């Protein structure tokens, strides 16, 4: 059996084990505890090792800029995606989607697979790119959320300033970012992984080993697919993936990229699931509105949570499928084909829904005309 296929089957088995463990492990504090172990210990250790094992040069600085640019473009195109599936972008659901769709959560959805399939060097590049994404989801999306919440934000200037300071601290003190900064400082002084003390390298290595199994178990535990709005959100997320592939294919063609691993890193990173951070912003504003007894809500927390729940398994399946296929999707023609397939599947729901609405409207119109004719006939008699 092919090695990549064996890895994929092994990963899927871990996810299935996670699903089975739902009966034993609650999806509340216990699952959140598992996520904290991943994001605070296993993932930082893995990224730290990856950065110390590769030659870090000035070109890596481009990755956060490219990721930030991708976030901004995805944010700009999200209203069009919402229009395609029939969601008003200015509604509470629309605003929730506009905050979540352009965000990325590579730590839970693509880093483990980049490490397993592409190696430490590729993971280091993805980790650097995530710095740009983190700035976008923590700061820019928070400002956007506040702008939507406050029609006139001037009277909240002091509060906004203090909250931004808090976010800056959160960005600096987040374990992943702290490990990246320390690793970059060490590398700049020529200190690589084989030069750090053995007890430290052994500890970090063992923490790194548990990351992939824990992430896969977490995915199995966290997956919640609700019947309500399933097809609508499924359509939205496939259209998001389709646009992502279209953009990446355009970049590859324009820049004439030929390094296969870099192309796969771009695809895996771009297809990452929606981030939890925008949902945290949504929850904070929802709590504030609840205390103030605001009638018109800015966001729909249930809709946002549904996006998160469905986004993770879709992203994981797409990323696993693409990486399992080896170098198949390093060719732009194959990327365009997959993009077209995802777009076709994604656009089916709004088309069928539109046809259903037209049929219902016609039936209602015929029923109304028939009723009027009967009334007219009775009057004539």
């Amino acid at each position: 059996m092919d090695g990549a296929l064996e890895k994929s089957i092994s990963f899927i088995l871990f996810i299935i084990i996670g699903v089975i463990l739902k009966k034993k492990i609650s999806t509340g504090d216990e699952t959140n505890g598992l996520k904290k172990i991943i994001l605070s210990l296993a993932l930082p250790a893995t990224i730290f090792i990856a950065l110390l094992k590769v030659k870090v040069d000035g070109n890596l600085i481009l990755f956060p800029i490219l990721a930030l640019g991708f976030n901004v473009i995805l944010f700009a195109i999200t209203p069009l995606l919402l229009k395609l599936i029939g969601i008003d972008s200015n509604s509470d659901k629309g605003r929730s989607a506009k905050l979540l769709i352009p965000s990325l959560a590579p730590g839970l959805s693509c880093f483990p697979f980049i490490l397993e399939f592409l190696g430490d060097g590729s993971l280091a590049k993805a980790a650097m790119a995530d710095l740009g994404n983190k700035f976008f989801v923590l700061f820019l999306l928070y400002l956007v959320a506040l702008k939507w919440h406050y029609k006139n934000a001037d009277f909240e200037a002091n509060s906004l300033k203090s909250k931004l300071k808090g976010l800056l601290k959160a960005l600096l003190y987040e374990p992943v970012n702290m490990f990246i900064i320390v690793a970059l400082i060490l590398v700049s002084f020529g200190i690589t992984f084989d030069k750090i003390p053995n007890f430290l390298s052994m500890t970090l290595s063992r923490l790194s080993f548990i990351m992939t199994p824990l992430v896969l178990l977490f995915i199995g535990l966290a997956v919640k697919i609700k019947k309500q709005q399933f097809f609508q959100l499924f359509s939205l997320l496939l259209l998001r993936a389709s646009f992502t592939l279209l953009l990446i294919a355009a970049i590859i063609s324009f820049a004439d990229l030929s390094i296969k691993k870099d192309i796969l890193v771009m695809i895996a990173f771009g297809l990452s699931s929606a981030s939890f951070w925008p949902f945290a912003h949504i929850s904070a504003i929802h709590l504030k509105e609840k205390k103030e007894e605001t009638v018109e809500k800015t966001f729909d927390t249930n809709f946002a949570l549904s996006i998160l729940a469905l986004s993770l398994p879709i992203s994981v399946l797409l990323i696993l499928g693409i990486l399992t296929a080896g170098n198949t999707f390093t060719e732009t023609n194959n990327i365009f084909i997959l993009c077209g397939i995802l777009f076709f599947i994604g656009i089916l729901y709004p088309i069928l829904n539109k046809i259903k609405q037209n049929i219902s409207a016609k039936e209602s119109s015929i029923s109304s005309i028939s009723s009027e004719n009967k009334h007219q006939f009775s009057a004539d008699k």
Side-chain angles (χ1 to χ4, degrees), residues 23-284:
K23 295 178 180 179
K24 298 287 185 181
I25 300 175
S26 68
T27 55
D29 293 339
E30 292 178 356
T31 304
N32 288 332
L34 182 60
K35 184 172 72 173
K36 286 179 181 178
I37 291 172
I38 294 167
L39 297 179
S40 300
L41 288 174
L43 180 61
T46 303
I47 290 174
F48 185 82
I49 292 170
L51 287 171
L52 288 184
K53 281 186 176 180
V54 298
K55 184 180 178 181
V56 178
D57 54 37
N59 292 330
L60 283 180
I61 303 300
L62 291 173
F63 286 92
I65 298 170
L66 290 172
L68 181 60
F70 173 76
N71 289 130
V72 171
I73 293 171
L74 198 54
F75 180 79
I77 203 71
T78 298
L80 176 60
L81 300 181
L82 292 172
K83 188 176 181 181
L84 284 174
I85 65 167
I87 295 177
D88 180 7
S89 61
N90 293 318
S91 65
D92 54 352
K93 287 184 174 63
R95 286 188 288 267
S96 300
K98 283 194 292 185
L99 223 59
L100 281 160
I101 292 300
S103 67
L104 301 174
L108 291 174
S109 55
C110 85
F111 281 178
F113 310 119
I114 288 176
L115 175 65
E116 294 289 339
F117 285 93
L118 304 177
D120 291 325
S122 297
L123 179 62
K125 293 175 181 178
M128 287 297 294
D130 191 37
L131 288 176
N133 170 62
K134 285 279 178 59
F135 176 77
F136 179 79
V137 298
L138 278 172
F139 280 93
L140 298 186
L141 287 185
Y142 181 70
L143 289 174
V144 169
L146 283 180
K147 181 183 176 183
W148 290 339
H149 174 59
Y150 297 116
K151 297 290 194 284
N152 298 306
D154 293 339
F155 66 93
E156 288 284 344
N158 293 330
S159 176
L160 176 60
K161 187 177 179 180
S162 64
K163 286 177 181 177
L164 287 177
K165 284 182 180 179
L167 278 174
L168 180 60
K169 287 182 181 179
L171 184 65
L172 290 174
Y173 293 142
E174 188 177 344
V176 171
N177 295 336
M178 288 178 68
F179 272 67
I180 289 174
I181 292 167
V182 172
L184 291 175
I185 292 170
L186 291 176
V187 169
S188 67
F189 284 101
I191 300 172
T192 54
F193 187 69
D194 55 353
K195 292 181 181 179
I196 64 175
N198 283 336
F199 71 88
L200 187 57
S201 63
M202 287 174 64
T203 302
L204 291 170
S205 296
R206 286 172 178 170
L207 282 173
S208 176
F209 292 153
I210 67 173
M211 186 185 75
T212 301
L214 285 183
V215 169
L216 294 169
L217 289 172
F218 173 78
I219 291 168
L221 288 165
V223 169
K224 289 181 181 177
I225 301 176
K226 298 179 180 179
K227 291 181 180 179
Q228 187 182 10
Q229 299 165 336
F230 171 83
F231 291 107
Q232 192 177 48
L233 291 178
F234 183 75
S235 176
L236 176 62
L237 291 167
L238 286 191
L239 290 174
R240 171 189 188 252
S242 176
F243 173 77
T244 295
L245 292 172
L246 180 64
L247 181 60
I248 290 171
I251 292 170
I252 293 168
S253 300
F254 179 77
D256 196 25
L257 294 177
S258 57
I259 302 173
K260 297 183 185 301
K261 282 192 175 182
D262 285 357
I263 292 171
L264 290 173
V265 168
M266 288 172 61
I267 293 173
F269 188 86
L271 290 174
S272 297
S273 64
S275 173
F276 174 80
W277 285 108
F279 179 74
H281 303 330
I282 289 171
S283 299

Side-chain angles (χ1 to χ4, degrees), residues 363-377:
E363 288 177 349
S364 178
S365 177
I366 291 170
S367 177
S368 177
I369 292 170
S370 176
S371 178
E372 286 179 5
N373 288 339
K374 286 181 180 178
H375 181 72
Q376 183 66 40
F377 179 74

Side-chain angles (χ1 to χ4, degrees), residues 354-368:
K354 190 70 175 176
I355 292 171
K356 185 179 178 181
Q357 288 177 356
N358 289 338
I359 292 172
S360 297
K362 286 180 181 179
E363 288 177 349
S364 178
S365 177
I366 291 170
S367 177
S368 177

